[in-house]
């Protein structure tokens, strides 16, 4: 972690803990340990989004490749292990339609490890990893001269982690990155039965709990925190009014958490709100995207309607 990144992490943590209600940004889940834990989560029986999205990508691969078009650069936000992305990369590479793959992730070590595994699988495909926070300004690496357009790939329903106004601003940023004629291929989880949602975010194996608590472990390690992990618990709320699942860290006793020399008192039962996962329906994401200058061109879903993959295009200036 660079000095600048460490300072931003410290500032964001201190600012979030000073708020009421207390919060921590979900993007900080993804240090190397957090990235590996999330990779485990995606393989759990209880966690339906990853396998459902993968099934959609597999079943509709030819249609999606046609929609992406010839010689596009695929820029993936929050690439992680790129495991699910391989379904799409396999289809694109088989038809030699991809100009480059640019995986972007905040965890630099995990990112380069993944890129190293992918290169032998896709000979001749430029794989250009970029360690960056995709929610902040960044510069794309040099793309091949024959690149026809940029297609941002944002799978996993990570769009649900944003508040609605934040999501629209984020989509505006994506439209700027993709540029005129560019596109966004995005996964969006859909609202469904509360028991299905709760089990997905509070799995019986405790992996999601470990993922949530790892945020405190990271604060201890990098910011001089003194959180006793045995005094905190993973807590999930299915918020019907807001159409979202919330993850919290709940204090198991009265205690004081010290971070960067500052003290934050918690009563028993007090929480730190660590993540929202907003859910969508057939038209709600399209309405947000429209406000950001993106028009929906295609939508693919599973038989139960639990998850959707949607393609949006940026208006061309021609």
């Amino acid at each position: 972690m660079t000095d600048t990144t460490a300072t931003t992490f410290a500032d964001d943590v201190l600012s979030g803990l000073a708020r009421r209600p207390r919060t921590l940004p979900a993007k900080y889940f993804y240090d190397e340990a957090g990235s590996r834990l999330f990779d485990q989560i995606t393989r759990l029986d209880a966690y339906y989004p990853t396998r459902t999205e993968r099934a959609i990508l597999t079943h509709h691969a030819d249609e999606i490749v046609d929609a992406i078009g010839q010689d596009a650069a695929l820029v993936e936000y929050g690439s992680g292990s790129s495991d699910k992305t391989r379904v799409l990369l396999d289809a694109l590479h088989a038809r030699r339609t991809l100009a480059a793959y640019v995986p972007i992730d905040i965890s630099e070590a995990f990112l380069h490890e993944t890129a190293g595994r992918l290169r032998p699988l896709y000979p001749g495909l430029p794989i250009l990893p970029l360690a960056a926070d995709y929610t902040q300004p960044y510069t794309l690496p040099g793309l091949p001269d024959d690149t026809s357009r940029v297609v941002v790939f944002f799978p996993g329903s990570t769009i649900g982690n944003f508040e609605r106004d934040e999501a629209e601003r984020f989509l505006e940023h994506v439209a700027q990155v993709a540029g005129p004629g560019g596109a966004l291929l995005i996964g969006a989880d859909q609202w469904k039965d509360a028991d299905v949602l709760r089990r997905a975010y509070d799995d019986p194996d405790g992996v999601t709990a470990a993922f949530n608590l790892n945020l405190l472990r990271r604060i201890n390690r990098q910011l001089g925190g003194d959180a006793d992990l045995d005094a905190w618990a993973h807590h999930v709320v299915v918020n019907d009014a807001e159409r979202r699942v919330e993850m919290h860290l709940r204090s198991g006793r009265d205690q004081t958490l010290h971070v960067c020399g500052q003290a934050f008192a918690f009563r028993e039962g007090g929480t730190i709100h660590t993540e929202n996962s907003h859910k969508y329906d057939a038209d709600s994401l399209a309405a947000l995207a429209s406000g950001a200058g993106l028009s929906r061109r295609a939508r693919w879903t599973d038989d139960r309607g639990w998850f959707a993959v949607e393609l949006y295009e940026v208006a061309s200036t021609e």
Side-chain angles (χ1 to χ4, degrees):
M1 178 177 283
T2 66
D3 289 344
T4 300
T5 306
T7 300
T8 303
F9 179 39
D11 289 345
D12 287 349
V13 167
L14 294 174
S15 175
L17 292 177
R19 291 194 188 105
R20 294 293 188 275
R22 286 169 163 152
T23 63
L24 289 171
K27 65 183 179 182
Y28 292 119
F29 281 134
Y30 300 97
D31 62 352
E32 187 172 354
S35 294
R36 294 186 189 282
L37 283 166
F38 185 72
D39 193 43
Q40 292 179 42
I41 289 170
T42 65
R43 302 171 193 275
L44 295 171
D45 289 342
Y47 193 77
Y48 65 85
T50 300
R51 66 174 177 272
T52 306
E53 185 176 31
R54 182 186 288 112
I56 293 168
L57 292 172
T58 301
H59 186 70
H60 298 284
D62 287 340
E63 298 167 56
I64 294 170
V65 169
D66 288 341
I68 288 174
Q70 186 73 32
D71 296 326
L74 188 71
V75 178
E76 183 178 4
Y77 281 9
S79 56
S81 67
S82 297
D83 181 59
K84 178 172 46 189
T85 313
R86 285 188 53 190
V87 173
L88 193 53
L89 289 177
D90 286 349
L92 289 162
H93 193 62
R95 287 169 54 175
R96 303 295 177 188
T97 60
L98 195 60
Y101 173 52
V102 183
I104 301 178
D105 202 275
I106 200 170
S107 177
E108 185 169 7
F110 196 65
L111 173 71
H112 286 283
E113 178 185 319
T114 297
R117 288 199 306 269
L118 291 177
R119 286 192 179 99
L121 301 175
Y122 304 102
L125 174 66
I127 296 178
L128 311 170
L130 177 62
D133 177 354
Y134 57 74
T135 66
Q136 301 299 318
Y138 68 88
T139 302
L140 282 173
L143 300 175
D145 292 339
D146 61 351
T147 301
S148 63
R149 68 170 176 170
V150 171
V151 177
V152 174
F153 183 39
F154 196 42
S157 200
T158 309
I159 187 66
N161 294 152
F162 297 97
E163 297 299 323
R164 304 296 182 180
D165 57 338
E166 293 174 338
E168 186 165 345
R169 289 196 299 272
F170 173 75
L171 291 169
E172 290 171 352
H173 157 77
V174 168
Q176 291 172 356
V177 169
L184 166 66
L185 183 66
I186 186 170
D189 197 13
Q190 308 293 287
W191 184 250
K192 58 185 65 65
D193 182 79
D195 289 340
V196 174
L197 292 170
R198 186 173 290 104
R199 180 177 169 82
Y201 289 84
D202 193 10
D203 65 275
D205 297 311
V207 183
T208 313
F211 175 70
N212 200 7
L213 287 162
N214 183 64
L215 188 50
L216 291 177
R217 186 175 286 108
R218 181 178 184 182
I219 289 169
N220 284 353
R221 184 178 67 253
Q222 296 180 355
L223 302 180
D226 63 354
D228 177 359
L229 270 65
D230 290 335
W232 293 88
H234 174 61
H235 178 60
V236 168
V237 175
V238 178
N239 187 329
D240 184 73
E242 299 292 337
R243 290 294 177 99
R244 72 189 187 197
V245 180
E246 301 172 4
M247 290 206 320
H248 300 258
L249 290 164
R250 184 166 58 187
S251 177
R253 64 171 189 243
D254 292 353
Q255 60 180 308
T256 300
L257 173 63
H258 296 89
V259 180
C260 294
Q262 296 190 32
F264 302 92
F266 289 85
R267 304 291 291 181
E268 181 179 355
T271 65
I272 305 171
H273 192 161
T274 55
E275 184 182 60
N276 287 322
S277 185
H278 291 87
K279 308 304 175 184
Y280 291 90
D281 58 31
D283 297 315
S284 54
L285 182 57
L288 272 180
S290 177
L294 292 159
S295 298
R296 188 165 71 190
R297 298 297 184 225
R299 184 174 189 267
W300 301 275
T301 188
D302 60 287
D303 291 340
R304 294 178 295 191
W306 278 14
F307 201 95
V309 175
E310 304 184 0
L311 182 78
Y312 293 83
E313 292 187 341
V314 185
S316 175
T317 56
E318 296 179 359

